[in-house]
Amino acid sequence: PAPGVHGLGTSMYFKGVAGNGTAGSHVSLPYFNFNSYNNFTISLWVKEQNLSNSGGEAYIAYGDCNQSFLGILNHILEPQTDNVIYTQYTVGSNFWTTSNVHQQFNLNDRNRWVFYAIVYSNGTFYAYKDSVLIGSMQQAVNIVGTYGGLAEHWWDGSSTSTRFTGYIDEVRIYNRA
């Protein structure tokens, strides 16, 4: 354990490893059938130090990122070739599309606590960073697969990566907006 956000309690420390596989630190989460909720909120504090691979990593993810997932991750927006990392928020798209709310990742956010949240209400989701609305989008919840985790994402049904190095604290999932 490590000091938590605002120096209170403890947080989880993750150490990313290599490009693909489960060798890096991660936490598996129980499956929630978000498809059945008209409203929900997911929030967490993240203190990213580094990624062990420029391909990016999820802070929190449910489902197959190559097909359709719910979560918040840092990833290159394809088919771009500039290797710029974007923080992406979605409740039903894949990480290869710009059909999600996204914002270029600010390297000044490394080594500081950042608050991320997705609020879903009746077909529209709202993406927040440090309690500031980044954007919103009408999108149906669509999760392919029944896996979920912190500091891990999946594609093609079973391939995975654990590239995130840093801290995650106060993960909250509510069944209301």
Side-chain angles (χ1 to χ4, degrees), residues 60-81:
I60 186 168
Y62 281 92
D64 189 320
C65 294
N66 204 36
Q67 296 180 54
S68 192
F69 80 107
L70 179 149
I72 303 168
L73 77 153
N74 280 351
H75 199 272
I76 297 168
L77 292 177
E78 298 292 340
Q80 296 185 74
T81 58

Side-chain angles (χ1 to χ4, degrees), residues 5-141:
V5 66
H6 306 304
L8 302 173
T10 58
S11 64
M12 295 174 282
Y13 177 72
F14 298 87
K15 176 68 176 159
V17 176
N20 301 330
T22 59
S25 304
H26 60 282
V27 172
S28 295
L29 296 174
Y31 175 72
F32 292 99
N33 186 8
F34 290 101
N35 298 323
S36 68
Y37 299 142
N38 289 326
N39 301 285
F40 59 83
T41 300
I42 298 172
S43 66
L44 67 163
W45 286 90
V46 177
K47 186 177 182 180
E48 179 178 314
Q49 294 179 318
N50 200 3
L51 298 171
S52 62
N53 181 287
S54 63
E57 189 54 80
Y59 298 143
I60 186 168
Y62 281 92
D64 189 320
C65 294
N66 204 36
Q67 296 180 54
S68 192
F69 80 107
L70 179 149
I72 303 168
L73 77 153
N74 280 351
H75 199 272
I76 297 168
L77 292 177
E78 298 292 340
Q80 296 185 74
T81 58
D82 57 7
N83 289 328
V84 174
I85 298 287
Y86 288 83
T87 304
Q88 299 175 52
Y89 307 73
T90 188
V91 298
S93 68
N94 64 52
F95 59 19
W96 301 111
T97 180
T98 57
S99 295
N100 51 49
V101 174
H102 55 276
Q103 178 182 52
Q104 186 171 342
F105 181 72
N106 184 341
L107 291 177
N108 292 328
D109 287 338
R110 289 236 165 110
N111 295 305
R112 79 171 190 90
W113 284 108
V114 178
F115 180 73
Y116 295 99
I118 291 176
V119 177
Y120 185 79
S121 181
N122 299 314
T124 301
F125 82 92
Y126 305 85
Y128 293 90
K129 176 185 165 196
D130 287 334
S131 300
V132 174
L133 180 65
I134 299 304
S136 64
M137 178 178 285
Q138 288 188 325
Q139 189 173 75
V141 175

